[in-house]
Amino acid sequence: MPLKFTLNGNQVSLEGVPGEATLLEVLRQRLDMLGAKEGCGVGECGACTVLLDGKAVDSCLTAAWQAAGREVTTVEGLAQGDELHPMQKGFADTGAVQCGFCTPGMILTALDLVEQAPEPSEQQIRRAMSGNLCRCTGYHDVVRGVRRGAKYLRGEGEEQ
Amino acid sequence: MSRFLTPASLPEALDALAQPGAKVLAGGTDLMISLRQARMNGDELPELLVDITRLPELQRLELEGPGCYLGAGLTFRFLDENPDARQRVPVLSQAASMVGSMQVRQTGTIGGNVANGSPAADGMSALVALDAVAEIASREGVRHCPLSELITAPNKTTLTSGELILGYAITPPPAPAGQVFLKVGRRHEVAVSRLNLAACLDRDLSDPRVVLGSCFPSPRRLVDVEELIKGGKPGPELWQAAGEMAAGHFTYVCGWRSSATYKVPAITRITARALQRAWAGLEARS
């Protein structure tokens, strides 16, 4: 039986996916979606975060079959052509990205947060992002990035 | 290679679990890590993974009236955010809010948390404080088991293959009650408990609950401490005495091991603080 789910708005159907395969492996190895990263592989770092029906999950801890019939969103699904998603723009405009390895996971976690709290406080941001580790830099600019992205999503201007 | 089944009904799930080599997937946040380990070591994988997370029977939430019940499929994120849970079983909501990260809370369930049997499981301590009795089903029928008897040793339970936790009948303390969960970890968020403590106090101190977790094979109610509180006068001295007694219980059970130098004062403080906060929460409601 093929594994079917929606990936960034498109139906995918895969044959021969073993039960133990993680969603992360299937995304990266079968579907060539390299945005989600494997950092730790055990749910500590959040680099593999994707949205499953709009909610952030660690794709390294999710069996691929758990996604059956559901909607998976990876960072590749956010931009519209050349137009970055407002949260991506927020991260870019605040310099919240250094090497970029953790960024896709961070952006997706941030999207789950702002869905619940369109105007998140610093404390809400820090708590929500605590499962996404960055080893390049501090988290100061990440907090600004999420706040800026949330602002863009609310349609409130692009001033610096 | 494991097969994967998403049963559409509870009977189908129980039939599947009765097959040899079947394993429950109740969220996956622990299971997928152990499968990863097994794959890296070349160990045998389960024959069949049974994903029970879509079964409606496991999503029950009843918090009014005498028959309070929590389905085993409820996730930590749900219990952290649900207004009824926050109102009626704050000790569990608070514990849920401190489990792992937002991503882990999204999929991790209170069924998996207990079945995995980790001595550091935050959900367990809160459930023990709520006097949870697990409802466990298999193809042969249903049995009930108090949580304190379900875990026999670290990562060991009395669950046999073919059995599935459906949920927990709980008995919250008489309302209004102050309920507090505190934990000590290596960092504030995304940390495994070094110690955790669930405390519930009712206004008459007739049914206090004090559960210490993460330093015994499984979380346990400190019955001596509860007796002390029952006869006492609420206030800082009583909370401090309760904390000292809790720490004494720890050294009695576990011996004076190297970590005791740290754990004894930490248990004393966390117990006293949780009781003080539970009482303050109760006062604030009156």
Side-chain angles (χ1 to χ4, degrees):
Chain A
M1 193 175 68
L3 166 61
K4 292 181 181 175
F5 58 90
T6 307
L7 175 61
N8 299 326
N10 303 311
Q11 266 297 320
V12 296
S13 176
L14 296 165
E15 293 290 344
V17 177
E20 72 275 14
T22 64
L23 180 57
L24 177 63
E25 284 172 68
V26 165
L27 288 172
R28 291 183 60 87
Q29 293 166 18
R30 298 284 304 269
L31 294 163
D32 235 5
M33 287 287 158
L34 303 180
K37 305 290 192 287
E38 179 168 278
C40 67
V42 294
E44 298 274 352
C45 78
C48 67
T49 303
V50 300
L51 300 181
L52 188 57
D53 285 344
K55 302 287 190 182
V57 298
D58 288 322
S59 61
C60 77
L61 297 185
T62 307
W65 283 94
Q66 283 177 274
R70 298 201 160 125
E71 171 102 36
V72 177
T73 308
T74 67
V75 75
E76 289 91 339
L78 298 182
Q80 304 279 329
D82 287 340
E83 183 68 14
L84 288 179
H85 185 282
M87 189 56 76
Q88 292 175 305
K89 229 180 278 179
F91 271 60
D93 289 356
T94 53
V97 180
Q98 193 163 324
C99 89
F101 189 88
C102 68
T103 311
M106 290 218 172
I107 286 175
L108 293 163
T109 304
L111 285 178
D112 183 349
L113 167 69
V114 300
E115 182 65 32
Q116 303 235 340
E119 210 166 335
S121 66
E122 173 163 350
Q123 199 197 353
Q124 283 175 310
I125 295 171
R126 287 189 178 272
R127 177 161 184 253
M129 304 302 290
S130 65
N132 292 81
L133 300 185
C134 168
R135 300 287 85 163
C136 293
T137 175
Y139 297 99
H140 185 75
D141 288 339
V142 171
V143 174
R144 291 177 57 222
V146 176
R147 188 169 277 168
R148 182 76 64 87
K151 195 171 175 181
Y152 293 163
L153 273 167
R154 298 194 304 271
E156 292 172 22
E158 307 232 342
E159 77 274 23
Q160 292 304 300
Chain B
M1 181 174 138
S2 306
R3 287 179 297 124
F4 196 96
L5 178 74
T6 307
S9 70
L10 184 57
E12 193 192 337
L14 297 176
D15 280 344
L17 288 171
Q19 298 175 32
K23 184 97 188 141
V24 177
L25 187 148
T29 56
D30 287 313
L31 178 68
M32 295 308 288
I33 295 175
S34 66
L35 294 185
R36 174 190 166 88
Q37 202 64 45
R39 292 165 75 186
M40 288 199 312
N41 296 342
D43 295 343
E44 209 176 323
L45 293 169
E47 195 70 30
L48 176 67
L49 301 174
V50 182
D51 179 2
I52 47 108
T53 57
R54 302 192 198 201
L55 293 176
E57 290 91 338
L58 271 57
Q59 304 295 326
R60 263 173 72 196
L61 176 75
E62 280 157 37
L63 293 172
E64 297 300 330
C68 291
Y69 191 90
L70 300 163
L74 298 176
T75 65
F76 294 112
R77 184 159 176 189
F78 175 86
L79 291 164
D80 173 21
E81 294 175 357
N82 180 267
D84 293 333
R86 293 175 73 117
Q87 170 71 25
R88 295 279 295 133
V89 286
V91 69
L92 181 60
S93 285
Q94 291 166 32
S97 77
M98 294 182 210
V99 171
S101 59
M102 184 163 83
Q103 292 91 321
V104 168
R105 291 191 291 272
Q106 174 63 29
T107 40
T109 61
I110 50 172
N113 200 222
V114 168
N116 193 49
S118 161
D122 292 325
M124 265 291 288
S125 298
L127 286 167
V128 170
L130 295 169
D131 246 347
V133 176
E135 185 187 13
I136 300 162
S138 69
R139 221 161 46 161
E140 278 67 53
V142 173
R143 72 179 172 108
H144 296 89
C145 179
L147 267 204
S148 43
E149 292 166 25
L150 190 62
I151 315 279
T152 52
N155 306 101
K156 294 262 184 305
T157 68
T158 67
L159 292 169
T160 58
S161 60
E163 285 192 319
L164 175 67
I165 303 177
L166 300 182
Y168 310 98
I170 56 165
T171 312
Q179 300 184 22
V180 170
F181 178 89
L182 293 178
K183 91 182 205 183
V184 179
R186 288 210 164 104
R187 67 174 173 134
H188 193 69
E189 302 277 348
V190 201
V192 174
S193 281
R194 309 291 294 162
L195 289 173
N196 65 44
L197 196 117
C200 302
L201 294 176
D202 60 307
R203 199 181 304 284
D204 305 328
L205 299 185
S206 64
D207 186 7
R209 318 261 176 98
V210 180
V211 178
L212 183 57
S214 212
C215 47
F216 303 122
S218 69
R220 56 172 74 186
R221 283 181 70 169
L222 304 180
V223 181
D224 301 357
V225 176
E226 293 177 357
E227 285 302 319
L228 175 80
I229 294 170
K230 270 185 206 171
K233 179 174 158 292
E237 285 97 46
L238 183 58
W239 316 142
Q240 178 67 20
E244 285 166 14
M245 192 182 258
H249 186 75
F250 164 72
T251 49
Y252 175 74
V253 173
C254 302
W256 191 270
R257 53 178 73 187
S258 60
S259 62
T261 315
Y262 162 73
K263 281 190 175 167
V264 164
I267 291 169
T268 309
R269 290 292 297 133
I270 197 177
T271 308
R273 184 176 301 165
L275 290 167
Q276 181 262 322
R277 287 191 192 168
W279 186 253
L282 196 53
E283 298 271 274
R285 285 198 200 187
S286 56

